[in-house]
Amino acid sequence: MFVADFINGEWTDLRIEPYGSLDLHPANAALHYGQSIFEGMKAYKNEKGEILIFRGDANARRLNESAVRMCMPEIPEEIFMEGLLQLLDLDRDWVPSGKGASLYIRPYMFAMDNYIGVKPSDTYKFIIFTCPVGAYYSKPVSVKVETEFTRATEGGTGAAKTAGNYAASLFPALQAQRAGYDQLLWTDGKSHSKIEESGTMNVMFDINGTLITAPTNTGTILKGITRDSVIKLAKDWNKPLEERFLTVSQLEEALKNGSLKEAFGTGTAATIAHISKINVNGQDYLLPEKGPDAFSNKVLNELDGIKYGEIADTRNWIVKI
Ligand SMILES: *Cc1c(COP(=O)(O)O)cnc(C)c1O
């Protein structure tokens, strides 16, 4: 794993060391007060055995946006990328081959002060470790529109990839799983009337051929890199697209009158997760079977093609090792 320490106001002791346990003080500030942020990305192997990383610079920038919100130090993009590239070069045999398989990459940063008392830590640790994975959501997912619990509110930390957001989501997600759903569709914290996103995915709806996805300027929604990539492809393909909130009642209406052609989640783990069932206000709605000409298929094939080096990378999204 790649490790760097933030001490006396600078990142020092950049190193790759064997994957293993960490030695933490019982008063470690991250454990008590939650200064902890992370990223999720993947490395792919092409036919020639080269390793490809998809939009890693965007992950580096987003980690720093999370850092600013959580009063943590930014990590220079060169340290992030150089650490990642050297680690992957060393670990290239761990990148599995085959479509769908990849090496999951977890960069993260957390407070290292040993101090009881609420204040920003002065010291931090940044680590990148990896783990081979197969396809994440191979089957379609069922979701429940959550209108009681809240993931994020304006002014909160919803746009940061920070540990506490996920801790707070566990209880409501577990209730939904016990009721038979894979994931929640979160609504806005104030009125619970607008669809925001899912657990670790942004969501998109195709209503009568127009793609609708929530905007990311409220500070309540994680700015997904997959979301951004899908939007860029949709624009290149002249697919009608609206970055606006879909209300729960508009979703319910579209499910009832059949204008909802498809719904899917977007995220690094699943890339595109087809949604097959949505529960709104206690009522289950089944979505139409995904046809071969579905927009989500086209977008998944394009993104996978780029990530596995089968389609030319015309947007500068790939770094090869
Ligand atoms: C990570 C994450 C996403 C997806 O982001 P990608 O960059 O596409 O992987 C969406 N929502 C939440 C809450 C997330 O944590």
Side-chain angles (χ1 to χ4, degrees):
M1 55 194 190
F2 175 76
V3 185
D5 294 306
F6 189 82
I7 298 169
N8 293 329
E10 60 179 4
W11 288 103
T12 61
D13 203 7
L14 282 51
R15 61 206 186 265
I16 289 176
E17 57 182 49
Y19 181 77
S21 300
L22 303 169
D23 190 15
L24 289 185
H25 191 277
N28 173 279
L31 298 178
H32 297 268
Y33 308 114
Q35 272 186 303
S36 175
I37 56 176
F38 67 97
E39 275 302 321
M41 49 204 295
K42 284 175 169 177
Y44 309 86
K45 196 169 259 177
N46 70 10
E47 297 246 279
K48 288 188 239 162
E50 295 165 315
I51 311 301
L52 282 67
I53 309 175
F54 182 74
R55 303 193 67 182
D57 53 332
N59 291 97
R61 282 195 297 274
R62 187 171 66 188
L63 183 78
N64 284 337
E65 286 172 21
S66 298
V68 169
R69 179 62 181 86
M70 305 311 291
C71 288
M72 298 166 76
E74 294 178 60
I75 184 144
E77 211 175 306
E78 310 82 69
I79 295 185
F80 182 105
M81 285 309 283
E82 195 53 34
L84 177 63
L85 296 186
Q86 290 199 16
L87 181 67
L88 290 180
D89 193 27
L90 207 65
D91 275 350
R92 51 174 73 235
D93 290 347
W94 282 99
V95 185
S97 10
K99 211 65 177 282
S102 57
L103 189 74
Y104 186 75
I105 301 165
R106 172 50 58 93
Y108 63 116
M109 189 201 297
F110 57 94
M112 276 298 281
D113 279 8
N114 309 319
Y115 182 80
I116 293 299
V118 179
K119 69 165 187 71
S121 181
D122 290 324
T123 57
Y124 295 86
K125 200 178 273 293
F126 173 71
I127 299 180
I128 306 176
F129 71 77
T130 68
C131 155
V133 288
Y136 184 73
Y137 282 125
S138 38
K139 60 181 180 57
V141 293
S142 62
V143 296
K144 175 180 170 278
V145 175
E146 177 60 59
T147 51
E148 184 189 344
F149 292 100
T150 298
R151 189 193 91 92
T153 50
E154 288 185 32
T157 59
K161 227 170 162 73
T162 185
N165 289 343
Y166 304 87
S169 74
L170 295 176
F171 183 79
L174 192 63
Q175 312 293 309
Q177 280 153 18
R178 286 190 176 138
Y181 302 93
D182 299 309
Q183 288 270 349
L184 292 174
L185 279 189
W186 294 105
T187 51
D188 67 288
K190 215 179 249 176
S191 66
H192 291 297
S193 67
K194 296 179 283 189
I195 306 289
E196 295 213 316
E197 62 170 319
S198 190
T200 54
M201 300 187 294
N202 298 103
V203 284
M204 300 196 174
F205 303 91
D206 187 330
I207 297 187
N208 276 335
T210 297
L211 203 60
I212 300 171
T213 191
T216 53
N217 58 3
T218 54
T220 57
I221 293 174
L222 206 283
K223 290 183 189 165
I225 295 159
T226 317
R227 173 190 180 278
D228 183 70
S229 307
V230 173
I231 288 175
K232 289 202 161 89
L233 292 179
K235 285 183 175 162
D236 285 356
W237 296 339
N238 292 318
K239 167 90 175 164
L241 169 95
E242 292 173 9
E243 278 184 71
R244 64 160 173 96
F245 284 108
L246 185 69
T247 67
V248 176
S249 47
Q250 284 166 347
L251 173 63
E252 198 170 21
E253 183 67 27
L255 284 162
K256 278 186 175 147
N257 68 23
S259 58
L260 182 68
K261 300 305 174 205
E262 64 169 336
F264 55 91
T266 69
T268 297
T271 311
I272 302 290
H274 180 61
I275 296 174
S276 56
K277 182 164 86 178
I278 304 182
N279 181 284
V280 188
N281 294 324
Q283 177 77 43
D284 278 346
Y285 297 91
L286 294 179
L287 275 77
E289 288 278 308
K290 184 165 73 163
D293 55 345
F295 176 77
S296 63
N297 275 343
K298 197 178 164 197
V299 114
L300 177 62
N301 289 336
E302 184 77 11
L303 287 176
D304 270 356
I306 295 169
K307 290 170 176 179
Y308 288 92
E310 295 162 355
I311 293 178
D313 168 35
T314 56
R315 298 173 188 83
N316 250 328
W317 282 350
I318 296 293
V319 169
K320 240 185 233 177
I321 309 167

